[in-house]
Amino acid sequence: MSSSHPEANRMADPLFEPIQVGDLSLPHRVAMAPLTRSRAGQPGDVPTDMNVEYYRQRAGAAFIISEATQVSPQGKGYAFTPGIHSQAQIDGWRKVTAAVHEAGGKIVLQLWHVGRISRPELQPDGATPVAPSAIKPEGAQTYISNESGMVDVLEPRALATDEIPGIVEQFRRGAENALKAGFDGVEIHAANGYLLDQFIRSNSNTRTDAYGGSVENRLRLPLEVVKAVTDVWGTERTGIRVSPTGSFNGMHDDDPVTTFGLFAERLNETGIAFIEVVEDSFQGNHASGRPEPVIDAIRAGFTRTYIGNGAYTADEARERIAAGRCDLATFGRPMIANPDLPERFKRHAALNEWDSSSFYGGDEHGYIDYPFLAESD
Ligand code: PHB
């Protein structure tokens, strides 16, 4: 293959231009999206040797964003997702980061609190899951056990104002534990209908205190979390993920251009290194295709690294990087099925197809057994 792609062409491939993201010097622009795979060790939601192998195989990504990882027992919303609140979890993640580093890669941890997308069965002492407001999300479900499978989430309990510092503290501790576990940075999960997104978007936050009402108020908790996390990590190793038009988990915002345009400005003032935007989602999107006006507003407000996400092909990523619409892209499902995805993009090689039946839960099958390219491909 390589003879048909002369060096001059390869040098010009926008996907393979190096880029600096905060403190991270990345060799190219094909990054791994955060992907829930529901294979953490039991009991305790601890990363296993199989998880180590999965991330090791994908170390050729520009950098890896880990699967969503609960910062606290309260932050958990699904069976078998990993945590970053116990010593055993820190030790398990340390093996993952060591393996990725040994293979020449970089990995940041995604800090997660699910808020209302949980169930008493998954909460400490069978508690009711918490949220900005007592609003049950339309159509949202979670996986509580192999026996019960997917079940509807219930009406959550609205957090009292004096409980908010405790939420910020959960993220701060998660950030400290991520540092202990040897990560290269962190991404704050403020997308896809989980707790921070529940505060941001208008249909899930009807609070009348300082954390609801105006857009500024809805952004207050996420920005307090950014402050706590950057106190631990500094700005150059901290990023955030948002999904302005995503409908997954019953989400909607009345005016995403205004909401996320202002959020972008506020985030820019914090100095964090990157924003990853879910522009499109197989789990549901109110926009048809990419929401260009929202992307414009975020690009205008946030001047540091913009990471595009959502059903990207290599060629669309090339075009959008070249056109200045994003700086790099994260790939999800193609990265599941192709551990060596960047190499395949570089060589314009064929891709393995993903098997959606093994996305969530199970064993090695559909997890660490997707084939790599042969030298001759
Ligand atoms: C999921 O488990 O389906 C899931 C988790 C985190 C996300 C999106 C989906 O951000």
Side-chain angles (χ1 to χ4, degrees):
M1 271 303 284
S2 55
S3 58
S4 61
H5 293 277
E7 192 67 14
N9 280 349
R10 259 195 279 148
M11 295 286 285
D13 187 337
L15 276 181
F16 291 92
E17 290 291 318
I19 185 170
Q20 189 74 27
V21 179
D23 275 352
L24 307 182
S25 302
L26 309 183
H28 58 79
R29 318 266 178 127
V30 184
M32 180 168 166
L35 294 159
T36 290
R37 305 302 310 276
S38 310
R39 284 167 168 87
Q42 302 303 315
D45 303 328
V46 176
T48 65
D49 290 347
M50 182 173 77
N51 305 142
V52 170
E53 180 57 20
Y54 166 74
Y55 283 109
R56 185 210 314 277
Q57 288 180 352
R58 286 158 183 77
F63 75 122
I64 295 169
I65 304 174
S66 83
E67 65 204 275
T69 300
Q70 57 262 11
V71 292
S72 65
Q74 186 192 65
K76 175 175 174 171
Y78 303 84
F80 311 125
T81 57
I84 188 74
H85 52 82
S86 74
Q87 188 59 47
Q89 291 163 350
I90 296 169
D91 295 343
W93 279 118
R94 183 161 266 295
K95 292 184 196 157
V96 171
T97 61
V100 170
H101 291 155
E102 193 184 288
K106 293 190 170 63
I107 179 166
V108 306
L109 180 81
Q110 195 192 50
L111 298 167
W112 193 30
H113 190 307
V114 298
R116 68 187 183 177
I117 307 300
S118 186
R119 290 268 305 197
E121 293 90 333
L122 298 166
Q123 291 285 304
D125 304 318
T128 298
V130 298
S133 305
I135 301 171
K136 176 174 140 57
E138 204 56 44
Q141 293 195 314
T142 179
Y143 190 90
I144 60 173
S145 67
N146 289 337
E147 294 71 44
S148 306
M150 295 297 285
V151 291
D152 289 350
V153 307
L154 309 172
E155 183 179 297
R157 177 176 72 79
L159 285 160
T161 308
D162 66 7
E163 290 180 283
I164 302 278
I167 299 289
V168 176
E169 201 48 37
Q170 290 173 33
F171 277 94
R172 181 196 309 277
R173 260 185 252 137
E176 286 168 355
N177 290 339
L179 198 55
K180 291 182 193 151
F183 283 93
D184 298 292
V186 284
E187 177 183 76
I188 297 162
H189 195 342
N192 296 342
Y194 299 110
L195 183 65
L196 300 180
D197 196 27
Q198 291 159 28
F199 273 83
I200 296 170
R201 287 201 267 175
S202 60
N203 84 330
S204 44
N205 184 346
T206 56
R207 298 178 72 91
T208 54
D209 65 0
Y211 294 91
S214 65
V215 178
E216 290 277 4
N217 281 357
R218 283 165 20 216
L219 301 177
R220 192 175 309 281
L221 173 61
L223 289 167
E224 288 178 359
V225 168
V226 170
K227 173 72 170 64
V229 170
T230 56
D231 282 348
V232 176
W233 274 95
T235 56
E236 302 305 307
R237 290 174 183 269
T238 300
I240 195 164
R241 177 177 242 232
V242 296
S243 56
T245 55
S247 59
F248 181 54
N249 284 328
M251 298 304 289
H252 183 257
D253 190 83
D254 287 342
D255 184 0
V257 169
T258 300
T259 302
F260 287 88
L262 187 65
F263 196 29
E265 283 178 35
R266 293 288 175 265
L267 290 169
N268 207 51
E269 290 160 10
T270 72
I272 60 168
F274 68 88
I275 186 167
E276 185 196 15
V277 181
V278 181
E279 300 169 343
D280 193 0
S281 175
F282 76 100
Q283 291 165 314
N285 202 20
H286 292 293
S288 85
R290 304 193 186 282
E292 303 297 351
V294 183
I295 295 170
D296 284 339
I298 294 175
R299 287 293 259 172
F302 190 80
T303 58
R304 304 203 72 194
T305 302
Y306 179 105
I307 305 178
N309 170 264
Y312 270 91
T313 61
D315 279 343
E316 190 182 9
R318 287 183 174 103
E319 284 162 22
R320 290 182 73 89
I321 292 169
R325 300 301 285 160
C326 61
D327 299 308
L328 62 156
T330 45
F331 296 84
R333 290 167 294 173
M335 196 66 86
I336 287 176
N338 298 273
D340 52 358
L341 187 69
E343 189 59 27
R344 288 174 190 256
F345 283 171
K346 191 186 261 184
R347 293 200 222 166
H348 297 260
L351 302 184
N352 302 321
E353 285 175 27
W354 60 75
D355 166 19
S356 55
S357 72
S358 52
F359 281 175
Y360 303 105
D363 56 14
E364 288 87 354
H365 172 67
Y367 190 56
I368 54 172
D369 61 355
Y370 282 104
F372 285 72
L373 280 174
E375 285 302 315
S376 54
D377 286 333

